Amino acid sequence: MSKLIKPDNYKSLLDMRQTEQGIKLIKDFFQTNLSTELRLTRVTAPLFVLKGLGINDDLNGVERPVTFPIKDLGDAKAEVVHSLAKWKRLTLADYAIEPGYGVYADMNAIRADEELDNLHSLYVDQWDWEAAMTREQRNLDFLKTTVRRIYSAIKRTEFLVYERYPGIKPFLPEDIYFIHSEDLLQMYPDKSAKERENLICRKFGAVFIIGIGAKLSNGEPHDGRAPDYDDWTSMNSDGRHGLNGDILIWYPVLNRAVELSSMGIRVDKEALLRQLEITGQQKRKDLYFHKKLLNGELPLSIGGGIGQSRLCMILLHKAHLGEIQASIWPEEMIDECAALGITLIN
């Protein structure tokens, strides 16, 4: 059954040609602003990595990577990346990036287990970024400052779109609101995590939810996180656990909250060991990435991913990712979109 979200009285504000021009405008402008805000250098990223090195992002730990044999390597297996969460930290070390500076890359991925709807596609494209930091910066204030800089780049890009296409009115609030996932649970104790996101985003417009991955007082995490990149167990200055989170906005076209970025301060040695134990993944300590981290060969860092197609979708006021990117969709969804005036790119 199609999971299409059906907006009321939807009409695209741009035709297909204007949409393609708008996509390029947003991508060119935003990545320049992001790199300036966070002092990032663009690097070339892999589409796939060798299986068994612990470099691929495990996301929630249940998604299956697309895997294929490499003939010239004796049929050794390669995995299409889910994201570059851990690869970027290796790159910081390889490039000897100093604290206060970082890297970003165009990440392209295939997530075969994605549940397809207006916001989720088999094809994932995002700006993956990572910045080196000092031990003293591993705190909530530094995380919030970084979030505000990213949000400022998003706001500037929204205004540029409005200047180019005056019919696309800005809707994002001036400031982003911060709340810990436990405090959000206490605010709406009888609601699911997604319902809580909708309620808080409807109220404030743009929200950063802190602490994604650790169990809350109801015994459940707000959302899943792999144990070996974001630090979701260290205590922050508010007395809550977690130095990571998600940027979400209230999107009036679909009348719901939409995540734009998952990000956070990365695990140090102590947090990695703690989170591997919590999740029962101690065997990962023998993998290439994890050994380098535990041996002190990787810098402390902060990083995340920002969806390219999703940001373009939001800033161009589109109803479906398929209006921004070419992908594969269920036939039923294609027919429903056509009936609603949603033109998908073939």
Side-chain angles (χ1 to χ4, degrees):
M1 182 179 295
S2 170
K3 296 180 174 63
L4 183 69
I5 305 164
K6 300 179 180 180
D8 295 329
N9 304 314
Y10 175 72
K11 180 176 174 56
S12 176
L13 299 177
L14 303 178
D15 61 28
M16 293 187 73
R17 183 175 179 179
Q18 290 172 320
T19 297
E20 293 287 6
Q21 293 169 342
I23 292 169
K24 186 176 189 305
L25 176 75
I26 291 169
K27 289 187 175 183
D28 288 348
F29 184 81
F30 178 78
Q31 67 179 331
T32 299
N33 274 260
L34 179 69
S35 63
T36 301
E37 281 284 357
L38 302 183
R39 294 189 285 188
L40 308 174
T41 298
R42 189 187 183 282
V43 295
T44 301
L47 176 60
F48 40 80
V49 293
L50 282 173
K51 183 177 181 179
L53 297 180
I55 298 175
N56 204 357
D57 180 2
D58 296 292
L59 300 175
N60 292 317
V62 297
E63 295 87 351
R64 301 169 300 170
V66 175
T67 306
F68 60 93
I70 306 172
K71 180 180 177 181
D72 273 6
L73 294 183
D75 281 346
K77 296 293 194 302
E79 294 178 344
V80 175
V81 296
H82 277 148
S83 84
L84 302 173
K86 288 175 278 190
W87 175 88
K88 293 175 297 182
R89 199 163 176 184
L90 293 167
T91 301
L92 289 180
D94 290 343
Y95 285 40
I97 302 295
E98 296 184 359
Y101 299 89
V103 298
Y104 80 97
D106 289 298
M107 190 283 300
N108 295 285
I110 301 172
R111 297 183 183 173
D113 289 338
E114 199 72 80
E115 294 186 3
L116 306 180
D117 57 24
N118 305 56
L119 297 165
H120 298 89
S121 170
L122 298 174
Y123 168 57
V124 179
D125 57 339
Q126 63 184 30
W127 291 284
D128 249 322
W129 65 273
E130 197 84 9
M133 60 189 294
T134 65
R135 173 66 61 179
E136 292 70 30
Q137 290 173 320
R138 296 191 82 257
N139 59 65
L140 187 58
D141 287 341
F142 183 70
L143 175 64
K144 287 182 176 180
T145 296
T146 306
V147 170
R148 290 190 181 100
R149 286 175 173 167
I150 294 171
Y151 187 69
S152 292
I154 293 173
K155 283 285 296 175
R156 283 196 294 275
T157 309
E158 182 188 43
F159 180 68
L160 176 70
V161 172
Y162 173 59
E163 281 195 312
R164 183 68 58 88
Y165 305 107
I168 301 180
K169 306 295 184 184
F171 68 92
L172 294 174
E174 286 303 312
D175 300 311
I176 188 166
Y177 180 78
F178 293 87
I179 187 169
H180 191 278
S181 53
E182 177 63 37
D183 296 323
L184 183 59
L185 172 62
Q186 297 302 320
M187 188 180 296
Y188 306 111
D190 59 336
K191 303 297 183 182
S192 69
K194 293 302 178 186
E195 289 170 335
R196 296 195 294 271
E197 289 177 358
N198 282 328
L199 288 166
I200 198 69
C201 287
R202 184 193 289 271
K203 183 176 182 179
F204 290 102
V207 179
F208 186 77
I209 300 178
I210 304 164
I212 307 290
K215 287 184 179 180
L216 305 177
S217 58
N218 65 354
E220 300 290 334
H222 182 84
D223 200 356
R225 281 296 183 275
D228 42 16
Y229 54 96
D230 280 356
D231 184 341
W232 39 263
T233 53
S234 290
M235 187 77 73
N236 64 46
S237 59
D238 289 345
R240 301 289 195 188
H241 287 98
L243 292 171
N244 71 331
D246 290 343
I247 297 175
L248 300 102
I249 56 97
W250 179 255
Y251 189 41
V253 174
L254 297 181
N255 202 36
R256 67 189 54 222
V258 174
E259 177 191 321
L260 293 182
S261 176
S262 173
M263 59 171 288
I265 291 173
R266 306 309 199 185
V267 291
D268 57 8
K269 177 180 179 179
E270 292 73 23
L272 175 63
L273 292 172
R274 185 167 57 242
Q275 291 176 188
L276 290 179
E277 182 176 357
I278 289 172
T279 56
Q281 297 288 335
Q282 293 94 328
K283 61 183 180 181
R284 294 193 187 186
K285 290 187 291 185
D286 295 326
L287 297 174
Y288 173 77
F289 170 84
H290 303 71
K291 281 183 177 180
K292 290 183 77 69
L293 178 54
L294 294 172
N295 289 337
E297 299 174 35
L298 300 180
L300 298 174
S301 68
I302 182 173
I306 303 165
Q308 295 188 13
S309 290
R310 190 174 288 189
L311 183 64
C312 291
M313 172 186 166
I314 297 302
L315 296 185
L316 295 178
H317 295 198
K318 298 291 188 176
H320 198 287
L321 271 179
E323 296 177 271
I324 300 297
Q325 59 165 242
S327 187
I328 297 174
W329 309 98
E331 285 296 330
E332 181 182 356
M333 184 179 291
I334 295 172
D335 293 340
E336 288 178 305
C337 284
L340 292 167
I342 299 173
T343 303
L344 304 184
I345 298 173
N346 294 321

